[in-house]
C-alpha cells in the first residue's frame, strides 16, 4: 500500500479496484505539459543536490543543458527557471553530502507493508527533515497532505529522529513546513490550523488498509 493508493480507495472503492487490482489506466487530471515540467524540475533538483551544487547558477546551467535534450525541448523554460530559483533560495544551506535523494521509504504498520517515495531527506543537528517538491499551483487537500507527510515521518524513523516534514510548494509563496515533537504532533510553522498528529495518521492508514482487505473479500463498492 501507499498513501496515494489508500486515498484513491477513500475517494472511490471502484476507482481503487480498477487502478490497483486490474491496473487499468487512470484518468489524468494534469496536462501533459504540466507533468513534463514537473518531471524536468524534479530531475534537475535531484541531480544538483546529489552533485552538491552551491549556487543557483550551477542548477540553472545544468537545467539549460537538460533543456537542449529532445525529451525536454517542450518544457516551458520560464516556469522551470522560476521554480529552480525559488528552490535554491529556500534550500541553500539545508542539503549536504549526507542528504538522500529519491529515497524509497518502506515500512510495516501493524504488520501491513507500505511504501512511499521522498524527494529528499536532509540531516540536521535536530534530526531529519523530509522534503517533497510540488510543482503545481493547486492546493492540496488536508487529508492528502497529512497522510503523505505523516507517512514520511513514520517510515523515515528507521533512519533517525524525524524533526521536520516539508512540502516545498515551488509555485506558492511559502513551503508547508511542520515540526514534529516527541508526541507525534506536527506543528505548522505558518499556520496552526494545519496541525496534525502522525500517530493519528498511522491509525487512519491501518484502518483504511484493513477496509481494503475487507473489500477484496466482499467486493468494492461503486461511487455515487
Amino acid at each position: 500500500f501507499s498513501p496515494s493508493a489508500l486515498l484513491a480507495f477513500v475517494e472511490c472503492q471502484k476507482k481503487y479496484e480498477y487502478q490497483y487490482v486490474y491496473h487499468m489506466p487512470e484518468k489524468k487530471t494534469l496536462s501533459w505539459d504540466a507533468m513534463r515540467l514537473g518531471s524536468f524540475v524534479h530531475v534537475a533538483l535531484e541531480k544538483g543536490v546529489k552533485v552538491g551544487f552551491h549556487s543557483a547558477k550551477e542548477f540553472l546551467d545544468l537545467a539549460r543543458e537538460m533543456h537542449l535534450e529532445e525529451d525536454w525541448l517542450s518544457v516551458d523554460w520560464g516556469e522551470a527557471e522560476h521554480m529552480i530559483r525559488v528552490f535554491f533560495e529556500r534550500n541553500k544551506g539545508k542539503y549536504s553530502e549526507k542528504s538522500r535523494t529519491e529515497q524509497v521509504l518502506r515500512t510495516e504498520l501493524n504488520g501491513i507493508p507500505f511504501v512511499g517515495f521522498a524527494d529528499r531527506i536532509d540531516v540536521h543537528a535536530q534530526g531529519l527533515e523530509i522534503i517533497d517538491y510540488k510543482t503545481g499551483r493547486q492546493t492540496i487537500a488536508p487529508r492528502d497532505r497529512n497522510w503523505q507527510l505523516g507517512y514520511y515521518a513514520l517510515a523515515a524513523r528507521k533512519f533517525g529522529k524525524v524533526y521536520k516534514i516539508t512540502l516545498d510548494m515551488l509555485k506558492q509563496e511559502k513551503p508547508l513546513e511542520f515540526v514534529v515533537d516527541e508526541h507525534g504532533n506536527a506543528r505548522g510553522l505558518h499556520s496552526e490550523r494545519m496541525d496534525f498528529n502522525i500517530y493519528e495518521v498511522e491509525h487512519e492508514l491501518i484502518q483504511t488498509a484493513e477496509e481494503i482487505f475487507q473489500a477484496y473479500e466482499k467486493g468494492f463498492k461503486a461511487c455515487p
Side-chain angles (χ1 to χ4, degrees):
F1 293 116
S2 66
S4 58
L6 268 60
L7 288 165
F9 177 83
V10 170
E11 180 186 344
C12 175
Q13 293 190 16
K14 276 293 182 185
K15 176 181 178 179
Y16 176 93
E17 183 181 30
Y18 292 154
Q19 185 175 346
Y20 292 98
V21 180
Y22 297 120
H23 303 291
M24 295 172 66
E26 60 178 314
K27 179 182 178 182
K28 297 294 183 185
T29 54
L30 286 173
S31 72
W32 175 250
D33 288 342
M35 292 171 65
R36 296 297 294 159
L37 174 63
S39 297
F40 177 83
V41 171
H42 273 77
V43 171
L45 300 184
E46 179 195 357
K47 287 183 175 180
V49 170
K50 268 188 176 179
V51 174
F53 287 164
H54 294 294
S55 69
K57 182 179 182 301
E58 289 175 297
F59 279 97
L60 291 170
D61 287 347
L62 168 66
R64 286 190 184 94
E65 287 182 21
M66 288 173 50
H67 197 243
L68 296 175
E69 299 172 13
E70 186 176 350
D71 286 349
W72 305 116
L73 282 173
S74 63
V75 167
D76 184 317
W77 172 251
E79 285 202 75
E81 179 183 13
H82 173 73
M83 285 192 280
I84 291 169
R85 290 187 183 278
V86 168
F87 160 84
F88 185 74
E89 286 305 312
R90 290 179 182 171
N91 290 273
K92 59 185 177 183
K94 288 177 64 175
Y95 58 86
S96 69
E97 67 277 359
K98 295 180 181 178
S99 295
R100 300 167 179 256
T101 58
E102 289 297 305
Q103 181 66 52
V104 180
L105 293 175
R106 299 183 187 276
T107 194
E108 286 193 0
L109 303 178
N110 200 34
I112 302 170
F114 282 83
V115 66
F117 302 88
D119 287 326
R120 200 174 89 236
I121 299 178
D122 290 340
V123 180
H124 304 292
Q126 308 97 310
L128 305 177
E129 179 181 1
I130 296 92
I131 302 108
D132 199 64
Y133 312 133
K134 296 296 182 188
T135 57
R137 292 189 184 279
Q138 68 273 24
T139 56
I140 299 173
R143 179 165 53 193
D144 295 32
R145 178 193 67 229
N146 295 353
W147 281 18
Q148 181 181 3
L149 292 179
Y151 176 76
Y152 287 163
L154 293 164
R157 290 178 297 186
K158 61 185 178 184
F159 298 128
K161 176 189 174 186
V162 176
Y163 100 97
K164 193 175 180 183
I165 38 181
T166 300
L167 279 183
D168 203 345
M169 314 289 290
L170 298 174
K171 283 191 176 179
Q172 306 288 350
E173 279 188 28
K174 297 175 182 176
L176 299 179
E177 300 173 287
F178 299 83
V179 172
V180 183
D181 67 17
E182 65 274 15
H183 303 294
N185 297 309
R187 308 285 188 186
L189 291 185
H190 305 296
S191 173
E192 292 181 359
R193 293 180 301 164
M194 294 186 176
D195 292 359
F196 65 96
N197 185 280
I198 66 170
Y199 299 120
E200 290 177 6
V201 167
E202 180 177 21
H203 172 74
E204 292 167 0
L205 295 176
I206 293 168
Q207 184 179 44
T208 306
E210 289 174 344
E211 289 174 8
I212 294 175
F213 289 140
Q214 293 174 16
Y216 270 98
E217 297 293 329
K218 299 177 181 178
F220 291 84
K221 296 177 182 177
C223 313

